Amino acid sequence: MAERIKILDVPVDAMTMQEAVDTITSRTLAGEQTFVVTANAEIIMMCQENATYNDIVSNKADIVLPDGAGAVWAGRHKGYKVPERVAGFDLYKNLLDQGRKQGMKSYFFGGSPTIADIAKTKVEELYPGVEVVGTHNGYFKDEDVPGIIEDINNSGADYLFIALGAPKQENWIMANKDKLKCKLFMGIGGSFDVLAGKMERAPKWMQDASLEWLFRLYKQPSRFMRMMALPKFALKVIFSK
């Protein structure tokens, strides 16, 4: 079993990508509901500033993975063995690929209108045999939630991938997972946008060099204020006990 470490008091499971896929798959095959959070530096900083969100990530999520070079660096800086980054987008694709071999059905919830449908078409091309049994965009009101839950349950989905952005996606999962029949709940941020071609992912060499944040800033200068969480995170890690 992978070591559960703490980064700024947020528990993180120091797994490889393969360990994460195997652990999640075995839990879902056993019928266990599993709530997964892929925690990058931004999410860990949100936990410092929002007690409710911190409680969800630290105490309610079943698996919290180190997504992002910052989370990996922080763990290693504190002397832990963190084998690799488990990027949420890559984990999402690996779970879809593994899930089709096990007969797992997925539901895509979130994104702007039509994006989840385009992502569904794309994954069906990438992984022939994958079953995406329903979609719903991320534009909804509180009174729409019971209908969304009913649609997800009626679809027979085993995996629920939610692209509402943090912290909204984790808050939604926590508020509603007891009413849902799915086995896996995972927030995936902008993954539908990447699959649909609306958002470009950094070249592989930049991902390997831990420069994906720089590529995102280049493509979306409006992210500048959000990116300020990164130096704050680094300083907090360096000066934490």
Side-chain angles (χ1 to χ4, degrees), residues 131-153:
E131 288 188 81
V132 182
V133 291
T135 65
H136 195 287
N137 66 57
Y139 290 78
F140 61 93
K141 298 175 182 175
D142 288 345
E143 55 263 35
D144 300 326
V145 171
I148 294 170
I149 290 171
E150 185 178 8
D151 191 51
I152 294 168
N153 284 337

Side-chain angles (χ1 to χ4, degrees), residues 15-58:
M15 296 182 180
T16 64
M17 177 66 77
Q18 192 57 56
E19 284 173 334
V21 172
D22 290 347
T23 301
I24 293 165
T25 301
S26 99
R27 283 178 63 98
T28 53
L29 284 172
E32 296 180 65
Q33 280 200 329
T34 303
F35 176 13
V36 177
V37 175
T38 54
N40 57 17
E42 208 173 335
I43 283 177
I44 293 171
M45 283 302 288
M46 284 181 198
C47 289
Q48 310 306 299
E49 297 156 6
N50 184 322
T52 301
Y53 188 58
N54 180 55
D55 182 55
I56 290 171
V57 175
S58 298

